[in-house]
Amino acid sequence: MFKSRKWAIALLSCLCLTAGNLRADEGMWLPLHIARLNIGDMQKAGCKLSAEQLYSVNSSSLKDAIVSFGGFCTGEIISGEGLILTNHHCGYGAIQSHSSVEKNYLRDGFWAYSKDQELPNPDLFVKFLVRMEDVSQRVLAKFNDQMTESERRKAAETEFVAIKKEATQGTGFDAEVKPYFDGNEYYLCVYETYRDVRLVGTPPESVGKFGGDTDNWMWPRHTGDFSMFRVYAGKDGKPATYSKDNVPLKPRHFLPVSTSGVKEGDFTMIFGFPGRTNRFLSSYGVKMALDISNPAVVVIRDKKLKLMKENMDANPAVRIKYAAKYAQIANYWKYFIGQSQGLNRLDVVDKKLAEETAFQQWADSDPVRKVKYGKVLAEMGSAFEKLRKFRKSSTYLNEAGLGAEIHTMALGARGLMEALSLPDTSKAKSAKVSAAAADLKEGLWETYKDYDVATDKKLFAAMMKMYREDILEEQQPTILTADLQKKYKGDIDKWTADVFSKSIFADSNKAKAFLAKPDAKVLEKDPAFVSASSFLSNAMTRISPQVMPINADVDRCNRLYVEGTLIMNKDAKKYYPNANSTMRMTYGKVGAYKPKDATYYNFSTTLDGIMEKEDPMNEEFIVPAKLKEIWQRKDYGRWAENGTVPVGFIGNTDITGGNSGSPVINGNGELVGLAFDGNWEAMSGDIAFEPALQRTISCDIRYVLLMIDKYANAQNLINEMKLVQTMPEPPVAPAVVPTVPAIPVADKKMPLATKPAAKKAVPSKK
Ligand code: ARG
């Protein structure tokens, strides 16, 4: 049974691969291992650069043009003056923060025609990776087999502190040590963080979010998902907080922009900061996601989105205030719907079971291995069995319990409450109270900027009702059980009315008055504070003590399962660790796919396709008048191909959330596109990569250039970039040895000009 299934799967994937005409390129590789693991393969596939040109600690390399954008997205430097390109949906929060009903940059777009028009964003930062280092030996040396998971974690953390201190002393850098391969390896990342990042340009939402939630996570796609920022530094080039005297950063490297486009089969690579994947997740974990967590997230978000939309549709100011919040909730609402569909359709549980069967056989076939790994899967299964009981309430806590902003605001007052509770004899008390009050004030006013009390009130009532109805009574906070009964006879609407009429958090004037004279008694009685505290203490004192030991068990089993899997397959497969918001590189080819029977999806979309989708009656598919004119006049300038402008393309590179905004780079190290999404048929890809179906959706750089040039008339930005046009490679004469990669011909400026292109393809290790 197992054998035949494995055979069937192998045959299936091989059939699909031929259908898609692509070789799968799964993998989010660590940049410091490119030289050892990937470069041979990459050069064979069309990469003309050396490993050293991609990632180097000593000289400038491609990685120096890549930034973590705000910690949640990726951006790339595309000029010698610190110009950053990222997605529209990554810049969305910043764009929204500068928007109002009068100056609606979300609706109309925004362009800085000179640097003094660029808009500062106090909370935004970009982080450059200075270097990465394998510190596994050092961390693992602190462990022994008798340690519990929490002892391991403590020992690791102590070592992290020491490593980070050594790595950053006297540099002004920040550092981070994280576990990889579920705690089997550890790496240090050293970063330089710049905090003066200004908005330079964005198309209107009708371009940057064209297709809206309908097209989100889908191909064929026609979204111009880009926005531009600039990173500023102090006069010495070092990070500095915002000052009008700061100067545009002179980067160590920036990406030249290729106007030559891509064709089917072209090599591309993507550098970025993917957030989280779960590729080693067990069949138990997949089942729990399918049965419990995914449906829970979807049902709550469904409700939230409906309620928010009602109020947004009714009021243009609310519409702007809630735009970013709405988009964020909607994005992963659709994601989890798609993930469940994909997990089911692609039989991921069965595929995981097959891997687990192989693991078990391997473990059992050797006495030493049997001791170490023989029980791992059984123990993992029983840990997940116990976890299932708590899964729904923990999902509900984040999504619903703390889902209304009045609760998150109230939780923000905990620090102040702590300070106020210090004995009056404490000398530090008044200083601590003022500091905590200042903190709270900052958080509150950030929230109030985009807050609508009527909307939040509706959300609060709905979320509390769902929590009350859907969660096991024994796992509910007392505020929803005894208290609600006693004071309101279980009537959540009455309770909600009380919370919003009495809480200081529901009214910025009351909050202001409170902050002028903070008083513990006021907080203690504040109904939002009381309620939020009840949710929190329920989670911390009742749920968490039961869940923590189970989680520790899951962690231990995962670690051993991954360790065993790596050993078991060490000669058969190259492994990469799950995404964890550190820099990764993925490479593959541009290429089409077959989403379903009798259907074939081409690898690129065009401006003509935008006009096919145009629907003036549907806000998601409105085409701005000016773009339509450009299309009517075919005023495409240098950015056309075959009489239209390429808009999007796909390839089989391996990305996930956090990669948004990542550069798609050709074999010469030039920018050809901007990654922004994954595709519907492979939404389960974060758990299991699907070679035949999984695609990265990118915006073609020529559409970005068309928008900047013809739509915005921002030639100042075009002029800053280094545009390169690669002549098509001459056909290879039969006498030429086919393994020698062609050197780009008319490419006057080689991207990483310090090194010549590799002369010989290095044999692949695969
Ligand atoms: N799915 C994209 C991502 O997670 C976000 C796309 C934003 N567009 C939208 N219609 N919400 O990176």
Side-chain angles (χ1 to χ4, degrees):
M1 158 70 181
F2 162 65
K3 252 195 182 149
S4 67
R5 179 163 52 216
K6 198 169 156 194
W7 179 83
I9 290 169
L11 180 69
L12 189 78
S13 52
C14 136
L15 283 176
C16 295
L17 279 184
T18 349
N21 221 351
L22 277 170
R23 224 190 42 128
D25 272 301
E26 168 178 3
M28 299 179 178
W29 305 98
L30 298 183
L32 85 166
H33 292 329
I34 293 174
R36 182 164 62 83
L37 293 176
N38 312 112
I39 193 67
D41 242 15
M42 292 170 71
Q43 290 177 340
K44 259 194 184 166
C47 181
K48 312 265 166 63
L49 306 183
S50 67
E52 186 73 6
Q53 287 175 302
L54 299 177
Y55 173 86
S56 165
V57 174
N58 302 314
S59 47
S60 71
S61 57
L62 200 148
K63 74 120 170 71
D64 296 318
I66 316 298
V67 294
S68 162
F69 185 85
F72 53 88
C73 272
T74 302
E76 51 277 2
I77 309 285
I78 55 167
S79 87
E81 298 175 80
L83 189 60
I84 299 172
L85 185 64
T86 188
N87 287 150
H88 181 266
H89 78 264
C90 297
Y92 204 85
I95 300 161
Q96 187 246 328
S97 77
H98 294 291
S99 296
S100 59
V101 175
E102 300 77 37
K103 272 192 311 196
N104 195 337
Y105 299 146
L106 282 175
R107 188 191 58 205
D108 306 329
F110 165 83
W111 302 95
Y113 293 95
S114 59
K115 297 200 176 73
D116 59 351
Q117 293 173 0
E118 296 170 359
L119 303 173
N121 303 284
D123 295 318
L124 193 58
F125 63 85
V126 294
K127 234 166 53 168
F128 289 85
L129 176 66
V130 177
R131 68 189 176 90
M132 241 185 133
E133 189 183 326
D134 185 351
V135 294
S136 305
Q137 293 310 327
R138 207 173 144 174
V139 178
L140 294 173
K142 301 288 160 189
F143 301 152
N144 63 58
D145 287 345
Q146 279 69 52
M147 282 178 159
T148 63
E149 287 308 296
S150 83
E151 285 164 347
R152 282 176 82 96
R153 197 167 311 131
K154 271 199 207 106
E157 259 148 32
T158 311
E159 197 56 22
F160 293 176
V161 173
I163 295 172
K164 289 191 284 192
K165 195 167 163 208
E166 286 165 33
T168 54
Q169 235 159 19
T171 61
F173 297 151
D174 351 296
E176 192 176 66
V177 182
K178 283 186 173 176
Y180 292 67
F181 288 116
D182 293 66
N184 286 291
E185 293 181 14
Y186 291 85
Y187 291 81
L188 161 75
C189 291
V190 179
Y191 298 105
E192 188 161 37
T193 305
Y194 286 84
R195 296 184 185 279
D196 184 353
V197 182
R198 304 184 195 170
L199 177 62
V200 171
T202 172
E205 229 177 339
S206 50
V207 169
K209 206 184 166 184
F210 182 76
D213 291 323
T214 304
D215 274 8
N216 191 16
W217 299 112
M218 301 252 185
W219 179 258
R221 192 66 158 276
H222 297 83
T223 313
D225 197 344
F226 79 97
S227 62
M228 301 173 95
F229 289 79
R230 190 185 305 280
V231 51
Y232 281 79
K235 291 219 166 71
D236 55 359
K238 295 262 154 39
T241 48
Y242 171 79
S243 154
K244 63 175 178 22
D245 301 328
N246 284 348
V247 295
L249 176 75
K250 290 210 175 7
R252 283 158 60 88
H253 183 65
F254 65 89
L255 298 178
V257 175
S258 167
T259 56
S260 307
V262 290
K263 35 184 210 323
E264 177 105 35
D266 274 1
F267 170 87
T268 58
M269 60 189 155
I270 292 177
F271 279 72
F273 290 84
R276 223 167 73 103
T277 53
N278 223 335
R279 298 261 166 88
F280 293 99
L281 187 67
S282 64
S283 59
Y284 312 104
V286 177
K287 277 191 216 142
M288 191 166 79
L290 277 172
D291 297 345
I292 308 173
S293 19
N294 290 7
V297 173
V298 172
V299 75
I300 296 169
R301 290 187 174 212
D302 237 351
K303 184 82 190 175
K304 275 192 195 166
L305 290 169
K306 275 196 194 97
L307 296 177
M308 282 166 109
K309 186 154 192 318
E310 281 171 14
N311 287 23
M312 289 166 77
D313 284 347
N315 181 334
V318 174
R319 188 181 191 78
I320 293 174
K321 284 180 173 179
Y322 279 67
K325 291 185 253 199
Y326 186 92
Q328 207 179 359
I329 294 172
N331 190 30
Y332 274 79
W333 160 77
K334 190 165 175 184
Y335 171 93
F336 283 111
I337 295 175
Q339 187 186 67
S340 287
Q341 282 184 15
L343 290 171
N344 282 322
R345 193 167 14 89
L346 299 165
D347 295 324
V348 172
V349 171
D350 279 356
K351 289 176 188 163
K352 296 282 180 182
L353 281 171
E355 287 168 10
E356 287 160 20
T357 308
F359 179 90
Q360 192 65 49
Q361 280 170 356
W362 170 82
D364 290 346
S365 62
D366 171 282
V368 180
R369 289 205 297 250
K370 192 163 177 165
V371 173
K372 187 151 193 199
Y373 305 110
K375 290 205 194 99
V376 165
L377 284 167
E379 287 171 3
M380 176 131 65
S382 68
F384 269 100
E385 198 49 49
K386 291 184 215 149
L387 207 53
R388 286 173 76 96
K389 184 175 149 199
F390 297 98
R391 191 62 199 178
K392 192 166 179 181
S393 72
S394 46
T395 304
Y396 265 58
L397 178 68
N398 291 329
E399 295 282 332
L402 305 175
E405 284 175 289
I406 194 153
H407 265 171
T408 44
M409 286 195 279
L411 283 184
R414 279 181 317 139
L416 179 56
M417 188 62 181
E418 228 170 76
L420 288 168
S421 314
L422 289 169
D424 287 332
T425 50
S426 157
K427 282 206 200 90
K429 180 167 180 173
S430 83
K432 282 198 172 146
V433 168
S434 340
D439 261 8
L440 175 60
K441 185 166 181 188
E442 199 186 321
L444 288 182
W445 263 260
E446 222 166 87
T447 308
Y448 289 142
K449 183 179 175 299
D450 297 322
Y451 190 64
D452 176 61
V453 68
T455 307
D456 202 39
K457 189 172 169 182
K458 251 167 67 172
L459 286 172
F460 181 88
M463 295 300 101
M464 294 302 108
K465 282 177 196 166
M466 290 184 88
Y467 210 102
R468 182 80 193 106
E469 277 155 32
D470 298 349
I471 297 302
L472 288 175
E473 175 104 21
E474 70 196 50
Q475 291 178 14
Q476 296 199 15
T478 49
I479 190 86
L480 281 186
T481 52
D483 298 353
L484 186 68
Q485 262 322 316
K486 206 162 68 197
K487 282 181 81 177
Y488 303 96
K489 298 209 174 69
D491 186 335
I492 287 181
D493 291 323
K494 263 202 195 127
W495 172 45
T496 302
D498 232 25
V499 170
F500 280 80
S501 67
K502 289 187 184 145
S503 171
I504 57 162
F505 300 103
D507 178 341
S508 61
N509 287 324
K510 284 190 197 164
K512 201 179 203 167
F514 166 77
L515 284 167
K517 222 172 150 266
D519 181 351
K521 286 197 203 88
V522 175
L523 265 188
E524 253 162 32
K525 277 194 290 197
D526 187 275
F529 188 76
V530 171
S531 162
S533 306
S534 174
F535 271 92
L536 194 71
S537 79
N538 182 60
M540 307 236 287
T541 62
R542 277 174 70 205
I543 311 286
S544 185
Q546 301 178 71
V547 173
M548 282 210 335
I550 311 174
N551 278 338
D553 234 23
V554 170
D555 289 348
R556 181 182 57 84
C557 294
N558 279 340
R559 174 164 49 77
L560 290 166
Y561 180 60
V562 170
E563 181 182 84
T565 302
L566 299 191
I567 298 171
M568 171 172 82
N569 297 327
K570 71 175 185 308
D571 299 322
K573 196 175 163 184
K574 284 190 281 194
Y575 279 97
Y576 57 91
N578 273 317
N580 61 355
S581 297
T582 59
M583 189 189 277
R584 302 300 174 91
M585 185 277 308
T586 166
Y587 63 96
K589 290 186 174 198
V590 172
Y593 71 108
K594 235 189 103 170
K596 55 186 177 224
D597 193 28
T599 311
Y600 175 80
Y601 281 166
N602 202 352
F603 76 93
S604 77
T605 58
T606 63
L607 187 52
D608 293 352
I610 292 183
M611 296 314 303
E612 281 173 11
K613 279 186 181 173
E614 186 200 20
D615 179 357
M617 303 309 289
N618 180 345
E619 57 168 20
E620 294 183 323
F621 293 94
I622 292 170
V623 177
K626 192 159 175 198
L627 182 58
K628 206 166 164 177
E629 276 166 33
I630 292 171
W631 171 74
Q632 276 158 344
R633 292 200 316 261
K634 284 195 179 288
D635 179 19
Y636 302 151
R638 298 175 267 173
W639 323 118
E641 182 180 305
N642 299 328
T644 184
V645 178
V647 166
F649 66 89
I650 48 174
N652 67 349
T653 40
D654 186 3
I655 66 163
T656 190
N659 267 120
S660 285
S662 294
V664 185
I665 302 166
N666 67 14
N668 300 327
E670 301 149 357
L671 185 72
V672 290
L674 184 60
F676 70 94
D677 214 353
N679 62 324
W680 191 247
E681 296 78 12
M683 291 296 285
S684 45
D686 284 345
I687 292 174
F689 187 88
E690 288 296 338
L693 292 174
Q694 193 151 336
R695 295 293 179 268
T696 291
I697 303 180
S698 305
C699 185
D700 193 300
I701 201 65
R702 291 167 295 176
Y703 183 45
V704 172
L705 292 166
L706 176 86
M707 285 302 300
I708 301 172
D709 179 24
K710 298 291 181 176
Y711 186 93
N713 275 312
Q715 280 77 27
N716 53 315
L717 301 177
I718 303 273
N719 294 338
E720 243 189 276
M721 301 175 200
K722 179 162 134 190
L723 300 179
V724 286
Q725 171 105 41
T726 315
M727 299 281 268
E729 287 170 15
V732 181
V736 176
V737 185
T739 50
V740 180
I743 294 163
V745 192
D747 182 0
K748 293 186 302 257
K749 301 166 200 155
M750 271 292 284
L752 297 148
T754 46
K755 298 265 163 73
K759 284 275 148 44
K760 212 169 173 189
V762 180
S764 153
K765 279 200 194 136
K766 219 172 195 172

